[in-house]
Amino acid sequence: MTAIHPSPQSPKGLPDLLLPLRRLINNFTIRSYRVAHLICKVVPCACPFERDVTLFGRTFHIPALCKLNPLYNEVVLLRFRALSYLTDICEEDVAQYLC
């Protein structure tokens, strides 16, 4: 008899449809300083602030972008792993990537 594992659930009790992407990001191994630098340049060190933008006389409210990204925690951890790779393996100064 095989064990039946429940499918991963999101906090609201819905199936986590992003689980394969979460696993891909979490299992990504950084093996190149070029990839590590790219990740550090592309992923911001802090959540962009919410703001109001006025365009054509109308005001649009843009919430903090980290609240809109369901993979925010995974991406931030990927950036941290890239910084750790550059510091520990490549012995580079990462001060330029810190806020």
Side-chain angles (χ1 to χ4, degrees):
M1 180 176 204
T2 60
I4 299 174
H5 298 287
S7 62
Q9 302 285 318
S10 68
K12 296 179 183 175
L14 301 172
D16 187 3
L17 299 177
L18 295 174
L19 184 63
L21 196 52
R22 288 182 204 282
R23 286 183 179 159
L24 179 73
I25 294 171
N26 288 334
N27 293 330
F28 183 79
T29 304
I30 299 169
R31 297 185 184 119
S32 165
Y33 73 93
R34 288 183 179 164
V35 172
H37 279 287
L38 179 66
I39 291 169
C40 292
K41 288 179 185 176
V42 172
V43 177
C45 61
C47 181
F49 298 108
E50 64 182 310
R51 57 187 64 120
D52 291 326
V53 176
T54 303
L55 189 64
F56 304 117
R58 296 190 67 192
T59 301
F60 299 96
H61 178 74
I62 300 174
L65 296 179
C66 56
K67 293 179 183 178
L68 298 176
N69 184 355
L71 299 171
Y72 178 75
N73 292 332
E74 287 78 12
V75 173
V76 168
L77 288 174
L78 178 64
R79 184 179 195 277
F80 179 74
R81 290 196 318 266
L83 288 170
S84 296
Y85 177 85
L86 290 173
T87 303
D88 298 340
I89 306 300
C90 300
E91 298 180 356
E92 290 188 24
D93 181 23
V94 294
Q96 64 184 349
Y97 298 122
L98 303 177
C99 292

